[in-house]
């Protein structure tokens, strides 16, 4: 078979002539020959496989620069790269789905407190932060109040004041009234102000490593908890004896797990397991995950820094949470477990129970 005209090649590859001209200019799909007189582009039949791959990748929404990279790879490596891109799409879709769910729930929800048959609920809570066995300073901050539960894990030379500054901003939500129907904007504004506070700690012109922090917080609205999460601190929910992690780590290693590059078991000991993809600080991506959680009487929530989650097994955390009555007892036992495991990091825990208010 001889060379194909651009029209024939476009039809066979499902790419338009206009797209083929662009891909030629970018060096992504160069014609086998260009007629010196007419300037017509001519393609070899063996170029069809690459052209069809480009067409499918464009339908996926993959950027041209990444497609160009994929086309240079062997089949196995190309499949791995597409798998990683799929994971990114799924993560982005999940983030949009969560935000859409938040908005739908928030705009359509009716407060059960309006019903005379609904029992009013509240929270009882305790917070504790510990330096641990190795570090000289504690860069964690833990806070629990009647509305706000929060943990921040600072990093860098000014990590401790960075974490404290972020939580100090959120503390205003513990006492201020929440505008009706404006919860999402209130939370977004609080995160932006917290980011400014962290940057203020670092000072102008400081390096990205100078000051930063994770931030994981839950705001009690009277019958629901609104979650704001940035980084690798975690929130667990104990409900009916089962323990669920309701946050997703914003780390390089977690993204590798999501993309199928490594297994969850390999992630536990990976040397980059503490490298953050999102945080509050100069040069960091401070985009928060924001969700609403309907609560049930008897729920127990745990917010913790990675000083607990990296050294204490999930089953041990579940055992302590389900076997202790008071939140203060639970946070003390969890920190003791972390220290007993030779924890090299600071440890912070907040435990909150959803309970019926006494009339």
């Amino acid at each position: 078979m001889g060379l194909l005209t651009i029209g024939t090649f476009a039809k066979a590859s499902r790419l338009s002539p206009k797209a083929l001209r662009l891909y030629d200019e970018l060096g992504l799909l160069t014609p086998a020959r260009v007629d010196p007189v007419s300037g017509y582009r001519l393609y070899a039949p063996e170029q069809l496989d690459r052209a069809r791959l480009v067409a499918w990748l464009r339908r996926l929404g993959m950027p041209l620069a990444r497609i160009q990279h994929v086309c240079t790879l062997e089949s196995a490596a190309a499949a791995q790269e597409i798998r990683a891109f799929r994971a990114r799409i799924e993560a982005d879709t999940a983030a949009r789905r969560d935000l859409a769910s938040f908005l739908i729930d928030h705009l359509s929800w009716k407060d059960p407190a309006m019903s005379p048959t609904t029992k009013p609920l509240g929270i009882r809570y305790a917070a504790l932060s510990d330096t641990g066995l190795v570090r000289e300073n504690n860069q964690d901050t833990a806070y629990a109040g009647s509305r706000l539960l929060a943990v921040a894990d600072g990093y860098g030379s000014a990590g401790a004041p960075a974490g404290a500054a972020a939580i100090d901003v959120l503390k205003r939500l513990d006492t201020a009234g929440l505008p009706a129907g404006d919860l999402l904007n209130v939370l977004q504004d609080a995160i932006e102000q917290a980011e400014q506070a962290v940057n203020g700690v670092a000072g102008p012109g400081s390096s990205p490593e100078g000051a930063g922090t994770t931030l994981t917080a839950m705001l009690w609205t009277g019958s629901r908890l609104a979650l704001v999460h940035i980084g690798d601190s975690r929130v667990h929910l104990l409900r009916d004896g089962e323990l669920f992690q309701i946050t997703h780590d914003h780390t390089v290693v977690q993204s590798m797990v999501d993309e199928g590059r490594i297994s969850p078991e390999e992630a536990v000991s990976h040397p980059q397991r503490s490298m953050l993809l999102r945080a509050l600080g100069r040069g960091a991506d401070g985009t928060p995950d924001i969700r609403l959680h309907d609560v049930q009487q008897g729920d127990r929530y745990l917010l913790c820094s990675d000083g607990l989650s990296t050294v204490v097994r999930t089953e041990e955390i579940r055992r302590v949470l389900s076997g202790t009555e008071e939140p203060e007892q639970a946070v003390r036992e969890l920190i003791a477990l972390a220290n007993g495991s030779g924890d090299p990091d600071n440890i912070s825990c907040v435990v909150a129970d959803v309970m019926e208010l006494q009339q």
Side-chain angles (χ1 to χ4, degrees):
M1 183 185 295
L3 296 180
L4 306 175
T5 65
I6 191 171
T8 302
F9 190 78
K11 185 175 181 180
S13 64
R14 295 183 175 84
L15 290 169
S16 68
K18 181 178 180 180
L20 287 171
R21 295 186 193 99
L22 172 62
Y23 300 160
D24 178 17
E25 294 171 4
L26 296 175
L28 176 60
L29 204 57
T30 304
R33 180 172 175 268
V34 177
D35 188 284
V37 178
S38 65
Y40 286 167
R41 294 170 171 84
L42 301 170
Y43 295 83
E46 53 267 27
Q47 290 183 282
L48 279 172
D49 284 345
R50 175 168 178 151
R52 287 165 178 160
L53 175 61
V54 170
W56 284 111
L57 293 177
R58 286 301 290 157
R59 288 186 66 181
L60 279 177
M62 184 178 285
L64 287 174
R66 193 163 184 176
I67 291 175
Q68 199 159 21
H69 172 63
V70 169
C71 288
T72 65
L73 302 175
E74 297 294 332
S75 296
Q80 180 63 33
E81 189 68 20
I82 295 170
R83 187 178 295 113
F85 183 71
R86 179 186 66 185
R88 181 69 266 162
I89 292 173
E90 290 171 348
D92 290 344
T93 301
R96 292 189 182 98
R97 182 187 64 234
D98 289 341
L99 180 55
S101 297
F102 181 104
L103 291 169
I104 292 167
D105 290 347
H106 184 58
L107 293 172
S108 61
W109 183 73
K110 298 292 187 290
D111 192 337
M114 299 292 289
S115 169
T117 62
T118 301
K119 298 177 181 178
L121 299 176
I123 55 173
R124 61 176 182 176
Y125 46 82
L128 189 61
S129 186
D130 189 83
T131 303
L133 302 176
V134 176
R135 301 279 180 91
E136 293 184 1
N137 301 312
N138 191 353
Q139 293 189 306
D140 282 5
T141 304
Y143 176 83
S146 59
R147 286 186 177 177
L148 179 70
L149 315 167
V151 168
D153 183 356
Y155 61 85
S157 58
I167 288 186
D168 281 345
V169 170
L170 293 192
K171 282 181 183 178
R172 302 167 193 167
L173 303 178
D174 207 11
T175 55
L178 294 177
D182 203 26
L183 180 59
L184 180 60
N185 289 332
V186 167
L187 294 174
Q188 189 65 53
D189 289 347
I191 291 298
E192 292 174 2
Q193 293 165 15
E195 187 169 29
Q196 293 172 7
V198 171
N199 291 340
V201 168
S206 62
S207 67
E209 296 79 19
T213 185
T214 70
L215 182 62
T216 299
M218 301 195 83
L219 183 65
W220 176 247
T221 66
S223 53
R224 292 190 296 177
L225 280 165
L227 168 68
V228 176
H229 170 63
I230 306 167
D232 63 350
S233 295
R234 293 180 177 178
V235 178
H236 292 274
L237 165 63
L238 181 73
R239 175 175 287 175
D240 298 328
E242 295 293 325
L243 188 66
F244 308 92
Q245 181 180 331
I246 61 175
T247 51
H248 194 72
D249 293 349
H250 300 145
T251 61
V252 170
V253 166
Q254 183 60 55
S255 71
M256 294 169 70
V257 173
D258 296 341
E259 294 169 2
R261 297 178 186 267
I262 62 173
S263 68
E265 292 73 24
E266 291 172 317
V268 173
S269 57
H270 196 283
Q272 293 180 309
R273 62 185 178 277
S274 297
M275 188 175 295
L276 296 170
L277 287 177
R278 293 195 223 170
L280 294 180
R282 293 192 183 280
D285 179 0
T287 306
D289 291 341
I290 301 178
R291 299 188 184 95
L292 281 174
H293 285 269
D294 289 316
V295 301
Q296 298 179 11
Q297 183 178 343
D299 284 351
R300 172 167 277 189
Y301 287 85
L302 165 68
L303 290 72
C304 65
S305 64
D306 65 340
L308 177 73
S309 56
T310 56
V311 298
V312 179
R313 293 185 299 111
T314 301
E315 180 54 35
E316 285 295 291
I317 294 175
R318 191 200 67 79
R319 179 185 62 79
V320 170
L321 291 177
S322 59
T324 53
E325 184 174 349
E326 297 295 328
E328 185 171 350
Q329 180 187 1
V331 295
R332 292 188 182 280
E333 288 195 22
L334 288 169
I335 286 178
L337 268 179
N339 281 327
S341 301
D343 197 345
D345 202 354
N346 310 139
I347 317 138
S348 289
C349 297
V350 174
V351 171
D353 294 339
V354 179
M355 55 186 294
E356 181 183 349
L357 291 176
Q358 298 300 317
Q359 296 291 303

